[in-house]
């Protein structure tokens, strides 16, 4: 069950305070540079003995450490004194409530996420930090879906790097125990002809594949429809990511949705057992309401996903839940409400 994180209270560990500040900034879409200051400071302290941290805090020499600045040293000093850091207290008061009104019951019913990124591609945090935050939020499972090779601007994973990542995922699963499962996955590019931007041999090693169009988004309707239909009928594809490619707000500006025959694509999703993603990022809000309603009418499965590129963004599924609940999507047709065993069986039929 996914849940809001309870506010931290004094006394609080300095690393926990820094991590929570970064989380709250990320979930409210604060600037990357601002967030990274707190993430960097948390990483710096993890490698230092607690006694040294306390001594430096009391001596005022924390800023001598690489990665610790004025704001972050103040948080650490207040934590060491047994106080709730003022900056954290302010953020918790202003930014720890629900991101959106509506969808709370569905949000609480979610168990996982089929679309998220780490610093192996264009995410901002290591895999273990994404996992730790997911566990803290109550996730029972998540799918690591870093980008595929063609998306060079996002540091997409070659077959060799994906092989390395698979080994790390296996190691994480051995370490976290049975209460949580990190699935091996990818957000694979749908190429111009509908083929996938990764070898079949590599895709066969994954637990779940989310496929998305990232290039030539203004392709004519006919070719775009054929491209998407071919992808969602591919037995290796489980989720169709942000299907229209639109942007409705944000720092990247606005972008119109791609032109394709949505009925044909969603009917192919139904035939192939491919879930239609309800992408929760506010700048995407994809697909638009009328296409969610069409996919619902056709009988498709759905996946409410965060498309998180930072730990705090895992909470953005609240936006997708509001839309899914408002539009009447039955919970049992949302694969992210299913348990890990059911998701794995669906994504890997015998």
């Amino acid at each position: 069950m996914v849940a809001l994180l309870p506010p931290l209270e004094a006394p609080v560990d300095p690393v926990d305070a820094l991590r929570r500040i970064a989380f709250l900034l990320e979930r409210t879409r604060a600037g990357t540079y601002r967030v990274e200051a707190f993430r960097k400071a948390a990483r710096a302290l993890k490698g230092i003995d607690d006694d040294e941290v306390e001594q430096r805090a009391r001596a005022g020499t924390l800023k001598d450490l690489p990665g610790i600045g004025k704001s972050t040293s103040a948080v650490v000093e207040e934590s060491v004194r047994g106080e709730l850091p003022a900056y954290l207290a302010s953020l918790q008061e202003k930014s720890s409530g629900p991101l959106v009104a509506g969808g709370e019951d569905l949000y609480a019913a979610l168990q996982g996420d089929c679309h998220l990124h780490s610093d192996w591609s264009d995410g901002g945090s290591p895999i273990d930090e994404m996992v730790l935050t997911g566990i803290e939020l109550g996730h029972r499972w998540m799918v690591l879906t870093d980008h595929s090779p063609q998306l060079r601007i996002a540091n997409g994973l070659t077959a060799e790097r994906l092989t390395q990542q698979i080994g790390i995922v296996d190691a994480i699963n051995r370490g976290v125990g049975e209460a949580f499962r990190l699935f091996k996955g990818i957000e694979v590019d749908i190429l111009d002809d509908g083929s996938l931007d990764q070898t079949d041999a590599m895709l066969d090693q994954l637990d779940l594949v989310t496929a998305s169009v990232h290039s030539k988004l203004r392709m004519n309707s006919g070719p775009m429809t054929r491209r998407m239909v071919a992808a969602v009928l591919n037995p290796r594809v489980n989720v169709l990511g942000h299907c229209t490619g639109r942007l409705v707000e944000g720092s990247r500006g606005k972008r119109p949705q791609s032109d394709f025959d949505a009925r044909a694509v969603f009917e192919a999703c139904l035939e192939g057992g491919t879930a239609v993603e309800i992408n929760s990022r506010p700048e995407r809000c994809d697909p638009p309401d009328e296409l969610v309603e069409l996919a619902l009418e056709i009988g498709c499965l759905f996946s409410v996903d965060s498309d998180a590129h930072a730990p705090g963004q895992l909470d953005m599924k609240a936006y997708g839940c509001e839309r899914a609940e408002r539009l009447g999507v039955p919970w049992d047709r949302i694969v992210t409400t299913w348990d890990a065993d059911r998701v794995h069986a669906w994504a890997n039929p015998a």
Side-chain angles (χ1 to χ4, degrees):
M1 181 180 74
V2 176
L4 291 173
L5 290 177
L8 292 177
E9 298 178 353
V12 58
D13 181 85
V15 172
D16 291 341
L18 293 165
R19 289 183 61 247
R20 182 60 62 87
I21 289 170
F23 172 87
L24 292 170
L25 290 172
E26 288 163 349
R27 76 190 290 269
T28 52
R29 296 185 283 166
T32 301
Y33 181 80
R34 186 178 170 202
V35 173
E36 181 55 23
F38 293 93
R39 291 278 178 208
K40 187 176 181 181
R43 290 194 297 269
L45 289 191
K46 284 182 180 179
I48 300 173
D49 182 83
D50 290 347
D51 289 339
E52 181 183 347
V53 172
E54 182 173 347
Q55 290 169 7
R56 285 185 174 275
R58 298 193 186 285
T61 61
L62 282 168
K63 287 182 286 186
D64 294 342
L65 297 172
I68 307 292
K70 180 179 179 181
S71 296
T72 53
S73 64
V75 169
V76 177
E77 290 166 2
E78 290 169 291
S79 297
V80 167
R81 292 197 299 266
E83 304 168 7
L84 185 67
Y87 189 35
L88 174 58
S90 176
L91 279 176
Q92 289 188 152
E93 181 180 353
K94 298 175 183 177
S95 306
S96 62
L99 289 173
V100 62
E104 294 91 350
D105 290 341
L106 174 55
Y107 181 82
L110 294 184
Q111 297 201 42
D113 197 327
C114 292
H115 189 172
L116 58 99
H117 301 274
S118 75
D119 61 2
W120 279 63
S121 62
D122 61 344
S125 288
I127 298 170
D128 58 357
E129 183 64 30
M130 297 297 292
V131 168
L132 177 58
T133 302
I135 292 172
E136 291 170 342
L137 286 167
H139 289 68
R140 305 293 177 84
W141 57 267
M142 300 191 308
V143 189
L144 181 60
T145 55
D146 280 316
H147 288 287
S148 61
Q150 177 171 275
L151 208 60
R152 295 184 181 89
I153 193 172
N155 195 27
L157 272 62
T158 62
E160 292 75 18
R161 292 181 66 220
L162 182 55
T163 299
Q164 294 172 5
Q165 187 181 85
I166 287 171
I168 289 173
V169 171
D170 286 337
I172 287 174
N173 281 322
R174 289 192 296 270
V176 297
E178 297 182 358
F180 176 87
R181 184 168 180 182
L182 181 62
F183 286 119
K184 298 182 283 285
I186 193 171
E187 184 184 13
V188 65
D189 268 27
I190 300 173
L191 302 178
D192 296 358
D193 62 355
S195 60
L196 306 178
D197 181 36
Q198 188 50 271
T199 67
D200 290 346
M202 287 307 308
L203 294 175
D204 284 342
Q205 296 183 49
L206 304 178
D207 297 307
L208 188 145
V209 172
T210 293
S212 307
V213 173
H214 288 107
S215 61
K216 297 187 180 178
L217 294 170
R218 306 309 301 153
M219 181 181 283
N220 289 338
S221 177
M224 180 65 87
T225 301
R226 291 190 291 273
R227 176 186 187 182
M228 296 173 72
V229 165
V232 300
L233 288 176
N234 189 315
R236 294 181 175 86
V237 171
N238 308 112
V239 178
L240 173 61
H242 48 68
C243 65
T244 77
R246 74 176 189 168
L247 294 174
V248 296
E249 63 174 57
S251 60
R252 290 187 289 171
K254 295 184 178 182
R255 182 170 65 207
Q257 62 192 58
S258 296
D259 189 12
F260 59 91
D261 183 340
R263 179 170 291 277
V265 171
F266 294 156
E267 286 177 347
C269 285
L270 179 64
E271 179 182 345
T274 299
V276 176
E277 178 181 70
I278 298 178
N279 188 289
S280 300
R281 296 191 69 89
E283 68 269 29
R284 288 193 180 276
C285 195
D286 194 2
D289 287 0
E290 62 272 17
L291 291 192
V292 173
E293 292 172 333
L294 176 61
L296 181 61
E297 169 201 321
I298 288 170
C300 295
L301 294 172
F302 295 87
S303 183
V304 175
D305 295 327
S306 66
D307 194 359
H309 287 65
Q313 294 174 6
L314 290 168
D315 229 7
M316 288 183 177
K317 287 189 291 296
Y319 294 113
C321 287
E322 183 280 326
R323 298 183 64 223
E325 193 168 271
R326 173 169 49 81
L327 295 170
V329 180
W331 290 10
D332 197 55
R333 282 170 58 181
I334 300 173
V335 302
T336 36
T337 68
W338 299 356
D339 65 34
D341 289 341
R342 185 178 178 186
V343 168
H344 190 266
W346 160 69
N348 299 271

